[in-house]
Amino acid sequence: MKFSANLGFLWTDLALPDAIRAAKNAGFDAVECHWPYDVPADEIRAALRDTGLPMLGLNTRRGDVAGGENGLAALPGREDDARALIDEAIGYAVAVDAANIHVMAGFASGREAHETYLGNLSYACTQAARHGRRILIEPLNPHDAPGYFLRTTGQAAEIIRDMARDTLRLMFDCYHVGRTEGDVTTRFTQLKPIIGHVQFASVPARAAPDQGELDYAYVFDAIAQAGWDAPLGAEYKPGGDTDASLGWLRARQA
């Protein structure tokens, strides 16, 4: 099984190019990030070239974080801003050859928010297709992101089916699914045809996967048995030194 280091949480004490190199040294097969935009793309390309690691994906910016925003794509009246962030994310993804762009929905609800979200996702899918990229959408659990528009895998699956765009896929985060819905491996198997990327962290603490109530030895094996062979994204909070949290990875590599 292959693993990707999410550098939004891992090695955050290092500059992003150095974090990429740290991920290679630790034995990861790929990397992904949250918001890399303050780092020149050529520095990321150099680190990826040096390590041979692919960059799997990145997120659109959240908007006015100090003002409480967590994405703009479902916010009525913010379409121009949302699409500017989508364009920025696709441009950066092309520059560093990242395959996926996670379009963040934001805090919203209701029919108008739904229609706004679909319109912005349609725009994102069209733009991504022109550059050979994919758009991901990810439900966030209500404990961490109360009021977030996209809440469940069922809601996401309905949107993906209704839009019927080849470039739109589900980000299946075992942590968020475990916190909100449970029955993680069954849901993964059911949703596998529309999944574009998989992430994980312990439940409920969002720590390393060798702790918590979810048995990741079982989960990883079930995902592999379902025929998934792309790297799984380690998107957890190490609670200190990242290298000290990697016992789970060394155990899988042994």
Side-chain angles (χ1 to χ4, degrees):
M1 177 160 281
K2 299 177 181 178
F3 294 99
S4 170
N6 190 297
L7 303 178
F9 285 156
L10 304 182
W11 290 290
T12 57
D13 55 321
L14 301 178
L16 189 52
D18 293 332
I20 292 170
R21 295 182 175 95
K24 174 65 173 181
N25 291 337
F28 281 96
D29 305 286
V31 291
E32 57 201 66
C33 52
H34 289 163
W35 306 284
Y37 305 103
D38 293 336
V39 182
D42 60 348
E43 295 182 15
I44 303 303
R45 284 198 307 271
L48 295 173
R49 183 180 62 248
D50 291 347
T51 60
L53 296 180
M55 175 71 76
L56 298 188
L58 48 85
N59 298 343
T60 54
R61 289 190 199 258
R62 292 174 286 180
D64 181 6
V65 178
E69 291 181 337
N70 195 28
L72 303 181
L75 276 59
R78 298 293 299 279
E79 288 86 351
D80 288 346
D81 294 333
R83 295 182 186 195
L85 297 186
I86 288 166
D87 289 341
E88 176 190 41
I90 292 173
Y92 198 97
V94 170
V96 301
D97 199 22
N100 301 301
I101 298 98
H102 168 210
V103 173
M104 300 196 67
F107 299 121
S109 63
R111 175 50 55 180
E112 189 178 5
H114 178 79
E115 295 301 327
T116 299
Y117 191 45
L118 294 188
N120 285 326
L121 287 179
S122 179
Y123 174 83
C125 288
T126 297
Q127 298 304 111
R130 290 173 178 167
H131 298 282
R133 311 293 139 176
R134 240 178 4 189
I135 298 299
L136 301 179
I137 58 175
E138 179 184 22
L140 304 186
N141 77 76
H143 306 284
D144 294 344
Y148 194 75
F149 176 77
L150 195 61
R151 299 171 176 84
T152 68
T153 56
Q155 180 190 6
E158 183 178 358
I159 288 169
I160 291 169
R161 284 194 295 266
D162 288 349
M163 291 194 66
R165 300 292 292 265
D166 290 341
T167 51
L168 183 62
R169 291 289 183 269
L170 171 66
M171 176 104 79
F172 187 95
D173 190 322
C174 299
Y175 165 73
H176 288 297
V177 176
R179 290 281 271 159
T180 303
E181 306 171 51
D183 207 9
V184 170
T185 57
T186 298
R187 293 184 189 282
F188 173 84
T189 302
Q190 293 170 340
L191 294 165
K192 183 175 174 287
I194 62 168
I195 293 173
H197 185 47
V198 180
Q199 295 177 329
F200 62 89
S202 74
V203 177
R206 205 172 195 179
D210 52 2
Q211 54 189 280
E213 65 187 36
L214 198 54
D215 180 0
Y216 271 106
Y218 178 87
V219 172
F220 291 156
D221 288 346
I223 289 173
Q225 288 168 12
W228 187 268
D229 59 3
L232 308 182
E235 192 191 35
Y236 67 86
K237 299 176 181 179
D241 179 68
T242 297
D243 290 289
S245 77
L246 296 177
W248 65 272
L249 180 62
R250 291 187 286 270
R252 296 292 301 191
Q253 295 169 334

